[in-house]
Every structure is written in structure tokens, then in C-alpha cells.
Amino acid sequence: GEVATMMDVPITKVIGTCMSLGIMVTMNQRLDAETLSIVADEFGFEVEFITTDIEEATTVVEDNVEDLVHRAPIVTVMGHVDHGKTSLLDYIRKTNVIAGESGGITQHIGAYGVTLENGQKITFLDTPGHEAFTAMRARGAQLTDIAIIVVAADDDIMPQTKEAISHAQAAGVPMIFAINKVDKPTANPEKIKERLAGMNLLVEDWGGKIQSQDISAKMGMGIKELLEKILLEAELLELTANPKKPAVGVVVEAFLDKGRGYISTVLVQAGTLKIGDYVLAGKNHGKVKAMHDERGNSVKEAGPSSPISILGLDGAPTAGDKFNVYEDEREAKQIAVKRTQLMREQSVRTQKHITLAEIGRRIALGQFKELNIILKGDVDGSVEALSDSFSKLSTEEIQIKIIHKGVGAITESDVLLASASDAIIIGFNVRPAGSAKQLADKEEIDIKTYSIIYDAIDDLKDAMEGMLSPEL
Ligand code: GDP
């Protein structure tokens, strides 16, 4: 309705245009940014977005180069179950206390920082696994600078190893391989490196650029070297942030403590968070009453890349929610109300992610350059055959990118990756497992399943030519 008034065209025409895009709307419904642009374009208008996402509005101010300081890399540990992610995080947590730092890491606050002998710091996210990593990304928060992919040397590259690799790659996060359990007599790190090479992932020993380190998380072997490699990778990334501004960052976890109230762990990405700051995180807000680090110390300030647990919010925000600091309590409250409203409307929001039926239109409009596909199948042969055929359908206008492929049912983690990377999921002789279907419905992810290879290829071809009739 509002859009129609702004463009001075009948509401029915706007609704009609939406329907031709395959989106059923009512006049009171709010359209997402992408649909708005397409609809406006149909009527010869261009949309300029004024953000209600306050984070964007407040960070518009460019940082002065001289204010930028080096910040610690933020690292996530991923890999197949039982390959040693938790053991690695535990070992680093237990051993890495430099002299002079008061006490060891005693609190599980969702992230922790360590200081190496040379004084350099690394921040680890304490929730291992690519699911947590991608769930955050699906919420629009990318915290991780470097991903450690743990592979057990007495095992092999397993399905979740592949997933972790795809998830890191889709996020554009550099990887370091930690080849674990080398203390075991059956360990064969060379085999792992060979397997990685077979996946086009060349580690340094194999003449490639990807760093890898043989470790034993149990015995503590190679961990020091691994930490050094993280710092080396971080150096290449030239990570900096401006500490001289109000803090912005991301919520890592939050819970209600019976005695103390809501406790939220946040990771400061830029700026400095101080006691007394008025914080808005997701739809929760409040004044920071106290802050504690992972060693249980009470602190007054937290700068870039610091994990810190804060007391004072009026509820528990969700992991992946962004937080900002406001000068004015009233302003923060108003935005909190607006956000709650927006979230409610967004639950009835129209199509958020790409669908097969929509591809042709988007290509025709020239706004769509890359189609991300997640491909799952029952056997390796058909997955490879489909992957090859799909890639060959790439044209000058549109690049087909298989961001993840694997054998097995379509999982929640596939759906999360699709949501974070705006991808469609294609299953060959497999279906969504367990709650993956519900999650896909919620995230509005298009899942197509086939049992004949040519049907899948034809559908994609048709979709790209805009020939696929919208589903009813
Ligand atoms: P996660 O599921 O990836 O977090 O794996 P865990 O850290 O829980 O480790 C799974 C099992 O492997 C546990 O029994 C660990 O004790 C064992 N483990 C982990 N790292 C090593 C290692 O370096 N050497 C040996 N021998 N066992 C390990």
C-alpha cells in the first residue's frame, strides 16, 4: 500500500506485479528490500534505502586511519565429531596463561582470549562446529576471522569435515588444518594431506598455500606451532579496529542467571565497551552494570576482539545478534521497540531467499550474477555427475557455484548454509532429514529433490532461461 502511494500507482498494480514475481501479498504487507527494488524497477523507480538497522547508521562515520589499531584474530574450531575440537579448545584454555595474567580461564563465557609468549593475542569462540558458525552468519553476523579445521589423523576426511570446509569457504574465511591425534600409532597425517589435495586443497607440505599443523590435542604436541600459524594468517589479514568509539559487536551467548539476572557474552568488534554504556542488542537493551572477562575478573572496559560477559540487559538476546552503544537511553528504547515491530512483521515477510522459479526473472533484470547451489545425493557418483553438469550450465550472465556437495540426507546444517549464502538446495534421491524441512520452511529455503539426473539438469536449465513455471 505504502509503496503504491509513493509511486502513485494503483495498489492492485503493485499486487499484480508481486504476483507475477510469484509472491502473494496483501496491501498491508511489508516487502523485503530485494522485492521492493524489483517492484519499483517495474514501474521505473529506483529505491533508496534509509536504514532502520541502526548499526549501519552509526558506523557510517569513517574511522580515521590513525585511530586504527591492530586487533586479535577471532578463531572458530570446526571439524567432524570426535576429531578433537573440544580437546583442542580445552588444551589451549588450560595451558595458555601468561605470567602476570591473574588466574587461569575459569569461566565458560562462550569465548576466551589467550596471550602468547610474544604478547600477541588470539580470541577463540568456545562453541566449536560449523553449525554455530553458520547459524550466526545466517543472522547476518560474521565474527570469525580464521577457521581451524580439525581432522583426526587416525580417521579420514569425513562428511562433517567436508561440511566445515564448505562452510568456511562459503564465508570466505581462511582455513588452517589441524591434523590431530598424531600421538596415536594408527595416525597417518600424510594420508589426510593427500586426501585434502584430492579435494583441491593443497597444504603447504604439498606445495599449496593452506597452512596445516600436525597436533595432538591430548598431549599438547604442535599446539604452540598451531597458534603461531594462526598469528601468521592473521598478519596477512591485517586485522584492525578503531577502539576510540562507542562499541559495536556481536552477542555470543546469553542466559538468565537466577541470582544475577540476564548475562550476555558479547564480542566487541570495534570501539570500546564501558561500564555505564547504554547497550542495544537485538531487541534487548539496558545499561551495562558490570562486566567480567573469562578469568572472572571484573573489568571496566573492553576493546576490539575482547569477549566479555555483561550484566544489565533486560532479557537474553540471541547468539548472532548485533549490539550497539547509544548515548541516550530513550533513543535505544525507541529502536528496541521498532526492532520488535520489524521482527514481528518479518515473520510474515515474503520470500527472502532465492528460489529456482525466480532465477530466470532475476537474471533478466540483470541483478543476479551467481547462483549458489548445495547439492546432496545418495551416492558419490551421481553427486559428481550432477555437480559437473550444473557447473557446465554457467553462462556469461550467471555463474553456477556449487558451494557444498555431499552424500547423505539434507540436514539442518545444509539449510543454515543455504540461508547464510542465499543458496538453493538440490537433493538427488535424498530428502530433508528430521527437522531440516521445518527449518527450511522457516528460513524460506528452496529445496528441490529429484530421482532422475536429467530432470534436475533440465529444471535448472529451464529456470535459468526463465521458462520454469511458478509453482502453485
Ligand atoms: P569433538 O567431538 O571434535 O569435540 O572431539 P573431542 O575433543 O570430544 O574428542 C573426541 C575423543 O578423542 C575424546 O575421547 C578425546 O579424548 C580424544 N582425543 C582428542 N584429541 C586427541 C589426541 O590428540 N590424541 C588422542 N589419542 N585422543 C584424542
Side-chain angles (χ1 to χ4, degrees):
E2 267 175 64
V3 178
T5 312
M6 283 162 90
M7 298 193 299
D8 198 20
V9 297
I11 292 176
T12 47
K13 282 205 169 170
V14 174
I15 294 180
T17 305
C18 288
M19 278 169 71
S20 73
L21 292 167
I23 307 166
M24 298 301 162
V25 291
T26 66
M27 65 174 283
N28 295 321
Q29 198 162 330
R30 193 171 280 269
L31 302 178
D32 64 53
E34 193 146 33
T35 313
L36 259 183
S37 300
I38 299 173
V39 170
D41 193 68
E42 288 290 295
F43 294 96
F45 286 90
E46 206 179 305
V47 181
E48 190 189 331
F49 291 97
I50 299 169
T51 182
T52 48
D53 184 348
I54 306 308
E55 188 242 1
E56 281 171 42
T58 48
T59 50
V60 177
V61 192
E62 286 269 317
D63 292 315
N64 287 325
V65 184
E66 59 265 32
D67 289 339
L68 294 177
V69 298
H70 173 83
R71 68 167 179 85
I74 300 170
V75 177
T76 298
V77 177
M78 311 189 204
H80 196 73
V81 65
D82 280 349
H83 278 198
K85 300 178 291 293
T86 315
S87 305
L88 176 61
L89 281 166
D90 285 348
Y91 185 86
I92 298 170
R93 182 197 348 263
K94 279 192 202 113
T95 49
N96 234 278
V97 187
I98 58 152
E101 210 157 354
S102 57
I105 301 170
T106 51
Q107 317 287 317
H108 267 276
I109 65 169
Y112 65 81
V114 293
T115 311
L116 308 194
E117 276 164 13
N118 61 10
Q120 287 186 283
K121 291 184 176 183
I122 303 174
T123 303
F124 285 91
L125 288 171
D126 214 356
T127 319
H130 54 277
E131 289 89 355
F133 169 82
T134 298
M136 276 213 185
R137 224 158 61 77
R139 295 186 66 80
Q142 180 145 323
L143 260 182
T144 304
D145 299 307
I146 296 166
I148 303 294
I149 313 282
V150 178
V151 191
D154 64 336
D155 199 1
D156 205 335
I157 305 290
M158 297 300 281
Q160 285 169 44
T161 320
K162 283 190 187 157
E163 281 184 25
I165 293 168
S166 299
H167 284 228
Q169 284 177 330
V173 170
M175 296 177 284
I176 300 175
F177 286 97
I179 302 178
N180 190 28
K181 307 198 188 183
V182 293
D183 59 287
K184 282 193 161 183
T186 48
N188 186 355
E190 276 314 302
K191 184 187 88 178
I192 303 296
K193 290 173 199 172
E194 187 182 332
R195 290 272 199 276
L196 288 172
M199 295 167 68
N200 244 334
L201 295 163
L202 289 180
V203 298
E204 281 176 330
D205 291 359
W206 280 65
K209 290 211 170 71
I210 307 173
Q211 300 196 83
S212 85
Q213 177 64 45
D214 293 356
I215 63 162
S216 164
K218 198 173 180 180
M219 319 298 271
M221 280 158 59
I223 309 290
K224 194 166 162 254
E225 289 80 1
L226 178 66
L227 297 175
E228 276 160 12
K229 287 183 177 173
I230 294 173
L231 288 176
L232 202 68
E233 197 73 44
E235 223 166 272
L236 299 174
L237 295 172
E238 296 181 12
L239 306 168
T240 58
N242 175 9
K244 293 185 186 169
K245 61 178 182 185
V248 293
V250 176
V251 175
V252 176
E253 62 174 45
F255 62 95
L256 177 63
D257 179 292
K258 267 196 184 145
R260 298 192 292 163
Y262 289 101
I263 299 180
S264 321
T265 297
V266 300
L267 231 154
V268 179
Q269 290 180 296
T272 299
L273 186 64
K274 303 184 178 102
I275 288 185
D277 277 348
Y278 209 89
V279 167
L280 175 63
K283 52 184 177 23
N284 298 107
H285 56 95
K287 193 183 246 175
V288 178
K289 287 190 207 134
M291 302 202 285
H292 290 92
D293 66 12
E294 65 278 49
R295 291 167 170 83
N297 301 318
S298 163
V299 293
K300 291 196 170 70
E301 294 194 345
S305 293
S306 311
I308 198 86
S309 88
I310 61 174
L311 214 63
L313 292 189
D314 67 346
T318 311
D321 276 344
K322 293 179 190 146
F323 81 84
N324 296 82
V325 167
Y326 291 89
E327 286 187 4
D328 178 28
E329 179 168 344
R330 225 189 46 214
E331 188 191 1
K333 275 185 184 156
Q334 275 170 2
I335 296 159
V337 171
K338 205 181 246 173
R339 275 198 187 162
T340 313
Q341 221 169 30
L342 268 176
M343 280 178 198
R344 206 175 310 130
E345 281 168 13
Q346 273 174 357
S347 62
V348 294
R349 168 186 55 186
T350 52
Q351 219 153 46
K352 185 172 120 205
H353 292 293
I354 186 74
T355 67
L356 205 54
E358 215 202 344
I359 295 166
R361 267 201 67 79
R362 293 238 214 139
I363 297 173
L365 284 169
Q367 299 166 326
F368 195 64
K369 301 263 176 274
E370 213 169 65
L371 172 63
N372 288 337
I373 293 179
I374 293 169
L375 180 60
K376 296 300 282 284
D378 56 344
V379 288
D380 208 36
S382 38
V383 170
E384 289 307 320
L386 267 174
S387 159
D388 279 352
S389 307
F390 283 163
S391 301
K392 282 191 192 125
L393 292 178
S394 290
T395 63
E396 237 166 66
E397 286 82 37
I398 182 148
Q399 195 69 30
I400 308 264
K401 221 168 131 187
I402 312 287
I403 59 167
H404 176 62
K405 59 184 175 192
V407 172
I410 297 158
T411 62
E412 275 194 38
S413 130
D414 294 327
V415 176
L416 280 174
L417 180 61
S419 178
S421 305
D422 200 15
I424 59 170
I425 301 178
I426 292 181
F428 185 74
N429 281 334
V430 292
R431 323 212 110 258
S435 46
K437 177 81 178 73
Q438 279 112 287
L439 187 63
D441 288 344
K442 184 169 152 267
E443 297 283 325
E444 292 162 27
I445 297 300
D446 200 18
I447 299 182
K448 296 271 180 220
T449 51
Y450 299 92
S451 48
I452 297 168
I453 287 195
Y454 292 105
D455 283 352
I457 298 167
D458 282 348
D459 256 15
L460 187 57
K461 216 192 265 165
D462 287 351
M464 289 171 67
E465 286 161 8
M467 307 281 285
L468 202 70
S469 42
E471 277 169 65
L472 297 172

